[in-house]
Amino acid sequence: NNADFVNAGEKLSLTMITLKEKLNLPTLPHRIEGFDIAHIAGKFPVASLISFYNGNPDKKNYRYFRLKTTDGIIDDFASMKEATTRRYTRLLNEKAELPDLIMIDGGIGQVNAVKEVLTALDLDIPLVGLAEKNEELYRPGNSTPMVLPRRSDALRLLQRVRDETHRFATTQNQKFR
């Protein structure tokens, strides 16, 4: 039904507008890249990178990183730094399109670790962390979380991104084992 398609498009637009407003983003978050880390007691550490475009998984842009600096140790901050450094150094070198928003599975520690990477690369990409416990959002340099209504479509979109990064990281980790 055409009306359903239009309504879905309008709903997505409203979701993007809400995210832009709530996170104070400079543009609508058409491309969101999400990161997560998976390991088994520090072994086989993997970072997943997933990409959503206009609210939907963009699987051709999924990547995973076998982490070199944290094999055998549990350090999610260092793992997140390695993965994001490798990703955004490459995009800069290739002069490729950058995301409108980076979403990290984690809290303020992971967010600040990634912000250090972006600052070192002289990139100004908006960044948010989604902490699973209470579904709180963290922005760089602000330890007070933002909470969106549980039924918010904006929160649901970020949860979909987070859940997909988690699924992809776990799948890659299992393959290596």
Side-chain angles (χ1 to χ4, degrees):
N1 185 341
N2 242 358
D4 289 341
F5 183 75
V6 170
N7 290 340
E10 287 173 9
K11 185 175 179 181
L12 178 62
S13 294
L14 289 173
T15 300
M16 301 277 221
I17 290 167
T18 301
L19 259 183
K20 179 182 184 291
E21 290 171 354
K22 295 290 185 191
L23 298 178
N24 198 23
L25 304 175
T27 62
L28 288 177
H30 293 287
R31 176 157 317 276
I32 301 172
E33 290 191 345
F35 287 87
D36 191 17
I37 306 296
H39 56 77
I40 301 298
K43 297 274 188 256
F44 309 109
V46 175
S48 68
L49 157 68
I50 66 101
S51 180
F52 269 50
Y53 189 73
N54 285 335
N56 293 303
D58 180 21
K59 294 192 176 189
K60 73 181 186 317
N61 283 304
Y62 282 25
R63 302 285 182 273
Y64 67 88
F65 303 89
R66 289 186 80 159
L67 299 172
K68 301 170 180 127
T69 57
T70 56
D71 196 9
I73 56 169
I74 299 173
D75 186 341
D76 283 354
F77 303 147
S79 295
M80 207 55 91
K81 280 181 161 182
E82 179 184 339
T84 53
T85 299
R86 287 168 61 186
R87 171 65 175 170
Y88 297 113
T89 299
R90 181 177 190 150
L91 289 186
L92 282 171
N93 289 339
E94 294 175 354
K95 295 180 175 41
E97 180 187 1
L98 296 169
D100 301 306
L101 178 64
I102 299 170
M103 205 221 63
I104 303 299
D105 181 11
I108 191 64
Q110 286 91 337
V111 168
N112 286 338
V114 172
K115 182 62 180 168
E116 284 178 32
V117 169
L118 296 176
T119 300
L121 294 173
D122 200 26
L123 288 174
D124 189 22
I125 304 170
L127 173 63
V128 66
L130 180 57
E132 208 159 341
K133 189 176 178 194
N134 295 313
E135 302 296 7
E136 297 169 327
L137 301 175
Y138 287 91
R139 299 301 310 270
N142 185 351
S143 60
T144 305
M146 177 189 312
V147 179
L148 296 178
R150 287 263 183 213
R151 294 170 126 3
S152 157
D153 287 330
L155 177 62
R156 285 196 180 133
L157 175 58
L158 292 177
Q159 287 170 325
R160 281 182 57 215
V161 173
R162 191 259 328 272
D163 293 348
E164 185 66 358
T165 62
H166 189 73
R167 182 199 65 76
F168 193 61
T170 303
T171 300
Q172 294 307 320
N173 180 263
Q174 288 168 348
K175 283 181 186 175
F176 293 138
R177 281 186 287 148

